[in-house]
Amino acid sequence: MAYYVTTPIYYVNAEPHLGHAYTTIAADVLARHMRQRGEDVFFLTGTDEHGEPVALAAERLGTTPRELADRNAVRFRDLARQVDATNDFFIRTSDEQHVAAVQEVLSRVERGGHVYLGTYEGRYCPRCADFKTEGELIDGNRCAIHKIELALEREENYFFRLSAFQEPLERLYAERPGFVRPENRYNEALSFIRQGLNDISLSRSQLTWGVPVPWDERHVFYVWFDALLNYYTALTYARPGEDLSERFWPATVHVMAKDILKFHAVIWPALLMAAELEVPKHLFVHGYLLMEEEKMSKSLGNVIDPFQVMELYGTDALRYYLMREVSFGQDGSVSTEGFETRYTTELANEYGNLASRTLAMVARYRDGIVPEGEPPDALAGDFDGLAERVGERFDAVAVTAALDEIWRLVRRLNQYAQDEAPWQLAKDDDAAERLDQVLYALAEGLRVVTVLLHPFVPKSAERLLAALGDEDLSLDRAQFGAGGGGTRIGELPPLFPRVARAAAA
Ligand code: MSP
């Protein structure tokens, strides 16, 4: 089945930070898991390059929007690469094919009677690129997010008849309770719709950095229309000569944080209906990473530097920590201390040690060959249905819950090693058969959890599976007992070595 997953396209007015890494990693974990299941996956990320946020930042820096976009798009592309994201394409909204496709789709919307010329009057936040309603302001005229004063603007704009989509949207929500997840975000979006929808500006006339409105080149499209359409346009040109939209549209899941819920849950499906395109199957709205209870953002300056963490501890450690620490869908705090604790207690001590102990015992007691053995009932029972449970969690985009399921078995294996004490069995010649069984069970259990962990910690999982002599990553193989004994194990340096605290500080 086709599985199309996207991240938001990130603004190039700032440099990439942990919040961007977070969403990209989560989407990558989903994409990798679905590939293990044999699904036909397309994973998209990229950069949002038009509009005031970028134009203003360029002005402040004394450069042109295009130059700033070129410079920062590279950094976002590098971020994706460095977190080991397996995105199938990286879209830039300055791509000429994107620009042409936006013009084509929005011309169709205009021809369909969903657009009219009107006058916008209100307070617009150039940093959010958002038209604020009274209720969204603080002190009567300030942006609640950026705290800056917003001037009252009046300009001629083309408008999109969002109000006409109130009923179709309510119907969509009624028919598809899983359209927006988690449920609290579904409720939030629906109540926003039920409050009544106003038409919104489709174009800006005081800005030149954007996609020109083809029927009136004095205007450029309001950046959100240009940006949202990336999810569709990318498919039309990601593979030259091929239109992937036939294969991958509608998207399976758009992943984002709650800051851009309204655009995705209200404007986006309405726009697609107007363009006579199918609406996505799901939106998944995750929470904010908080540092000391504040939303982490560049402007607040309280940022964990993902690049530094990856350099010191490796990419897998960052991926694991972010997916594990904050329950996906909720807000949660992250900190350097929290990271170090999980790195040491979970990655190094629980998983890393289980791996090195198991390999060392197979090497020492069985000359490096995993013995043949019957899966012991107690352990087999615990593994029973594991891959299915993990799969169900992934279907619900419950990435942290999927990881929790797997980690429970990592702990179970450590307990099993402790209970069976193979180092004691090795001293007793009469216990040889039992030792075979225990070593087989540990190696096999380790293989199964590692196949399942692959989307989270791909590099480590690949190294460990290679050392275990069975590199098959497909999900069918994540069944306890699917691997036989008899494989020769290889060398494995520590997966999560101790990092000197001084270096980490
Ligand atoms: N350009 C728009 C999105 C257009 S999508 C058609 C935009 N860009 S952004 O650079 O501001 O990125 C916002 C997204 O970055 C969030 O929705 C989320 O995915 C991610 N995050 C940024 N900071 C974050 C946190 N502190 N915590 C969690 N996610 C974070 O909005």
Side-chain angles (χ1 to χ4, degrees):
M1 238 179 30
Y3 187 89
Y4 177 26
V5 55
T6 66
T7 72
I9 46 171
Y10 305 114
Y11 283 132
V12 285
N13 56 346
E15 288 166 18
H17 61 63
L18 192 70
H20 307 120
Y22 181 54
T23 314
T24 301
I25 289 170
D28 184 60
V29 169
L30 289 166
R32 285 177 183 266
H33 170 83
M34 292 300 165
R35 285 194 204 103
Q36 282 187 299
R37 270 157 76 160
E39 308 295 9
D40 185 20
V41 173
F42 197 82
F43 167 23
L44 180 71
T45 187
T47 42
D48 187 355
E49 306 190 1
H50 292 132
E52 279 95 341
V54 179
L56 291 178
E59 207 177 286
R60 274 198 303 278
L61 294 167
T63 179
T64 63
R66 188 170 296 281
E67 207 278 320
L68 180 65
D70 285 345
R71 192 192 321 153
N72 279 337
V74 172
R75 309 189 65 157
F76 279 98
R77 202 190 286 264
D78 284 350
L79 176 77
R81 218 174 277 145
Q82 287 181 41
V83 300
D84 284 333
T86 53
N87 51 299
D88 295 284
F89 189 60
F90 187 95
I91 188 170
R92 297 184 53 184
T93 54
S94 58
D95 291 344
E96 60 186 53
Q97 300 97 319
H98 168 78
V99 169
V102 166
Q103 290 179 322
E104 190 271 315
V105 174
L106 292 176
S107 295
R108 195 165 359 125
V109 169
E110 196 260 343
R111 286 197 304 274
H114 306 287
V115 176
Y116 62 93
L117 192 62
T119 305
Y120 169 75
E121 197 176 317
R123 302 200 191 260
Y124 178 80
C125 176
R127 303 269 288 278
C128 294
D130 195 5
F131 303 89
K132 301 290 178 178
T133 59
E134 291 293 316
E136 289 171 325
L137 299 170
I138 51 170
D139 306 337
N141 67 352
R142 284 177 196 275
C143 167
I145 297 166
H146 294 99
K147 321 276 192 259
I148 51 171
E149 262 184 48
L150 309 179
L152 199 59
E153 278 191 27
R154 198 184 148 82
E155 69 170 48
E156 196 176 64
N157 282 179
Y158 285 95
F159 278 75
F160 173 62
R161 284 186 211 281
L162 183 63
S163 58
F165 289 91
Q166 168 123 12
E167 256 177 55
L169 285 172
E170 286 187 23
R171 215 172 315 129
L172 169 73
Y173 275 70
E175 283 164 10
R176 299 196 5 206
F179 179 58
V180 180
R181 291 174 173 144
E183 204 184 337
N184 57 337
R185 300 294 164 209
Y186 169 94
N187 292 332
E188 190 179 323
L190 184 56
S191 76
F192 183 86
I193 295 166
R194 283 189 178 145
Q195 275 166 30
L197 298 176
N198 297 322
D199 294 342
I200 59 162
S201 291
L202 174 72
S203 74
R204 307 277 293 151
S205 56
Q206 289 169 18
L207 181 77
T208 52
W209 180 237
V211 176
V213 172
W215 63 85
D216 184 346
E217 300 231 341
R218 294 170 307 161
H219 293 247
V220 295
F221 285 114
Y222 168 40
V223 63
W224 268 100
F225 284 89
D226 158 8
L228 285 163
L229 279 166
N230 92 87
Y231 301 131
Y232 176 74
T233 64
L235 295 179
T236 66
Y237 69 95
R239 298 287 175 271
E242 226 183 309
D243 183 1
L244 295 174
S245 66
E246 288 157 25
R247 208 161 114 204
F248 292 108
W249 197 260
T252 313
V253 59
H254 296 309
V255 182
M256 76 211 71
K258 59 188 183 181
D259 51 344
I260 50 180
L261 172 72
K262 181 179 73 182
F263 298 102
H264 284 81
V266 182
I267 300 173
W268 180 222
L271 172 62
L272 287 168
M273 289 178 195
E276 291 174 18
L277 290 167
E278 276 187 77
V279 302
K281 293 187 186 137
H282 305 285
L283 309 180
F284 190 90
V285 186
H286 64 69
Y288 287 149
L289 295 184
L290 309 168
M291 291 191 62
E292 288 151 11
E293 307 307 318
E294 279 267 21
K295 180 191 172 202
M296 202 205 59
S297 75
K298 193 79 191 169
S299 49
L300 291 170
N302 56 353
V303 181
I304 289 190
D305 180 358
F307 297 102
Q308 202 185 0
V309 171
M310 288 189 285
E311 198 182 309
L312 281 170
Y313 295 88
T315 303
D316 285 354
L318 179 72
R319 293 172 63 104
Y320 173 81
Y321 175 68
L322 293 179
M323 297 300 103
R324 176 97 167 138
E325 182 80 333
V326 179
S327 179
F328 200 55
Q330 292 167 23
D331 289 350
S333 297
V334 291
S335 65
T336 324
E337 301 80 63
F339 172 83
E340 284 170 6
T341 303
R342 290 221 188 248
Y343 181 85
T344 308
T345 58
E346 298 184 354
L347 286 176
N349 292 351
E350 293 178 348
Y351 184 53
N353 271 355
L354 175 70
S356 49
R357 275 208 291 182
T358 301
L359 291 171
M361 290 190 292
V362 170
R364 183 144 163 221
Y365 305 138
R366 291 296 179 263
D367 293 327
I369 308 283
V370 177
E372 312 270 352
E374 271 297 300
D377 287 344
L379 212 48
D382 290 323
F383 273 90
D384 212 23
L386 172 66
E388 292 72 17
R389 286 198 297 280
V390 170
E392 281 164 21
R393 301 285 187 258
F394 271 111
D395 286 338
V397 198
V399 180
T400 306
L403 182 52
D404 291 346
E405 291 282 352
I406 307 165
W407 212 258
R408 209 167 296 143
L409 269 297
V410 170
R411 290 186 171 158
R412 177 70 186 95
L413 287 167
N414 275 310
Q415 186 60 49
Y416 179 77
Q418 216 53 44
D419 293 347
E420 299 298 328
W423 46 92
Q424 297 292 352
L425 296 174
K427 293 182 189 153
D428 178 358
D429 285 345
D430 293 340
E433 214 171 298
R434 186 69 191 280
L435 181 60
D436 280 349
Q437 189 184 38
V438 172
L439 292 179
Y440 167 74
L442 285 173
E444 178 60 2
L446 187 59
R447 186 190 65 77
V448 172
V449 293
T450 302
V451 170
L452 292 170
L453 283 174
H454 180 261
F456 298 93
V457 289
K459 277 196 194 113
S460 312
E462 280 163 30
R463 283 168 58 205
L464 178 48
L465 288 174
L468 285 169
D470 185 342
E471 295 175 67
D472 191 338
L473 285 172
S474 65
L475 211 68
D476 311 341
R477 299 282 299 155
Q479 298 292 341
F480 192 70
T487 46
R488 169 165 292 282
I489 58 155
E491 288 282 313
L492 183 72
L495 290 175
F496 301 100
R498 188 174 295 278
V499 173
R501 251 188 163 277

